[in-house]
Amino acid sequence: MPTGVYRRVFITLKWAIKTPRINNISSGARCNRWEAEVWRKWRPRFGWEHLCPVRFCDPFGLILIMDRALQPVTFEEVKSANDLEYGNYYPNVSVEYKPENWGVIAGKMVCVDYGIDEAEQIIKKRLYYQQKSGMQ
Ligand SMILES: Nc1ncnc2c1ncn2[C@@H]1O[C@H](COP(=O)(O)OP(=O)(O)O)[C@@H](O)[C@H]1O
Ligand SMILES: [Mg+2]
């Protein structure tokens, strides 16, 4: 069972089920909630194509369900997929090129970890996305 910095992940044939690590429940739950918000609310506005789909997240962020991506991939594969297939998105999502945060679904390289753990960073990012999408 993979363990990330903030979350434990149960992998099935089709799904990746993320739950906060017990030693830092609030950060893990915040990552889950932000990942769900990015997927549902901001991705449709900014057209990000490189994110792994979120299918379910409860309001507290205790359980998030994503499509399962195939791992491992290499840094070179992540980098070339981003260079060749995805544009320079503006505004962008906070993603890292760490290979463990990426995987392949139906031949497409996707980021499986786009959570943010810090509440203040999330507030700033949300405000920024609101401004860029002409909301408010
Ligand atoms: N959708 C997914 N498909 C396959 N494996 C995944 C998926 N999401 C997460 N994982 C695996 O679980 C690990 C931890 O998940 P991650 O979202 O990176 O948690 P954290 O935010 O705690 O780092 C990942 O590095 C990856 O190996
Ligand atoms: Mg991670």
Side-chain angles (χ1 to χ4, degrees):
M1 183 193 343
T3 304
V5 188
Y6 300 107
R7 293 168 286 181
R8 281 181 162 268
V9 182
F10 301 83
I11 303 285
T12 74
L13 221 51
K14 290 184 73 167
W15 312 111
I17 302 157
K18 303 194 187 188
T19 185
R21 284 175 65 169
I22 216 78
N23 57 359
N24 199 344
I25 292 183
S26 61
S27 291
R30 211 176 286 120
C31 283
N32 276 350
R33 293 195 304 269
W34 179 245
E35 227 158 56
E37 180 175 333
V38 166
W39 177 257
R40 291 171 185 161
K41 187 163 184 182
W42 303 115
R43 172 199 54 92
R45 299 203 168 123
F46 300 120
W48 302 319
E49 289 290 334
H50 57 324
L51 303 181
C52 186
V54 173
R55 303 301 179 184
F56 171 84
C57 183
D58 69 287
F60 303 106
L62 298 178
I63 293 186
L64 177 141
I65 303 179
M66 268 186 170
D67 289 5
R68 183 228 175 145
L70 291 178
Q71 289 189 320
V73 294
T74 65
F75 175 81
E76 285 71 28
E77 287 165 340
V78 174
K79 183 151 187 342
S80 76
N82 276 276
D83 288 347
L84 300 174
E85 291 162 44
Y86 306 125
N88 276 323
Y89 292 120
Y90 176 81
N92 208 343
V93 201
S94 318
V95 298
E96 293 174 277
Y97 281 3
K98 282 199 294 192
E100 62 264 38
N101 285 350
W102 295 77
V104 172
I105 297 177
K108 195 178 134 177
M109 182 70 70
V110 291
C111 181
V112 302
D113 178 6
Y114 44 98
I116 297 180
D117 64 303
E118 275 182 48
E120 272 188 34
Q121 241 184 295
I122 289 178
I123 290 167
K124 276 194 206 152
K125 204 86 188 176
R126 186 182 290 124
L127 206 63
Y128 175 65
Y129 290 158
Q130 280 169 349
Q131 285 162 352
K132 290 291 163 197
S133 65
M135 290 174 58
Q136 235 161 50

